[in-house]
Structures are given as structure tokens and as C-alpha cells.
Amino acid sequence: VGALARVVGVFAAQSLNLSTIESFLDHRNVESSGWNYSFLIQVEAHHAESRLAAALKELEQLTNSVKVVGGFCDKSIKWTAK
């Protein structure tokens, strides 16, 4: 199973919807360390949701790094932390 499938599986296990997935090949290290990808993922979840925290914690165990670059609010959605 590939890296993208493992990453998507983490969010699926927490019943989190993904609205965007973009993958980027890290061309700097292809020759020395093989194929390294970065993923930019937009998740439909409030930052305080425990299931999002659980998914991010699991991703930290599966990947070289996890960075949360920000969040935005869709005012048409009423968020409730679970």
C-alpha cells in the first residue's frame, strides 16, 4: 500500500472528510533517498475535535513530519466539537 493510501486511511478511520488532497514529489532527494512525497490536505473538521487530534497524532507516527499550516472557517457550517 502506498503512502497516500495510508494517509487517507488515517482520516477515514476517524470518519473525517477530506475536501482537498494535493501531492508533491520532493525532487531534491529523489536520487539520494528515493521517492519522497509531501501531501497538502484540507480536512473538514474543527481544530478542537478530538478525532482530528487523534488523526494528526497517528500521522506523526507514520510520516517524517506533520505540519498544520492553518485553518479557515466555513460560516455556512455549524461546528460542534466531539
Side-chain angles (χ1 to χ4, degrees), residues 14-33:
Q14 294 294 332
S15 299
L16 290 165
N17 292 325
L18 306 179
S19 58
T20 303
I21 303 172
E22 294 182 48
S23 62
F24 305 92
L25 176 60
D26 185 350
H27 295 284
R28 297 171 296 176
N29 297 318
V30 170
E31 291 181 17
S32 63
S33 61

Side-chain angles (χ1 to χ4, degrees), residues 5-72:
R6 287 191 300 272
V7 168
V8 170
V10 169
F11 291 104
Q14 294 294 332
S15 299
L16 290 165
N17 292 325
L18 306 179
S19 58
T20 303
I21 303 172
E22 294 182 48
S23 62
F24 305 92
L25 176 60
D26 185 350
H27 295 284
R28 297 171 296 176
N29 297 318
V30 170
E31 291 181 17
S32 63
S33 61
W35 300 93
N36 290 309
Y37 286 89
S38 295
F39 300 106
L40 176 62
I41 299 173
Q42 290 183 359
V43 183
E44 294 177 3
H46 189 275
H47 67 87
E49 287 190 56
S50 60
R51 59 192 181 131
L52 178 59
L56 294 174
K57 185 174 184 176
E58 186 174 344
L59 285 174
E60 289 174 345
Q61 302 300 315
L62 292 175
T63 64
N64 292 332
S65 68
V66 174
K67 294 180 186 176
V68 176
V69 296
F72 59 92

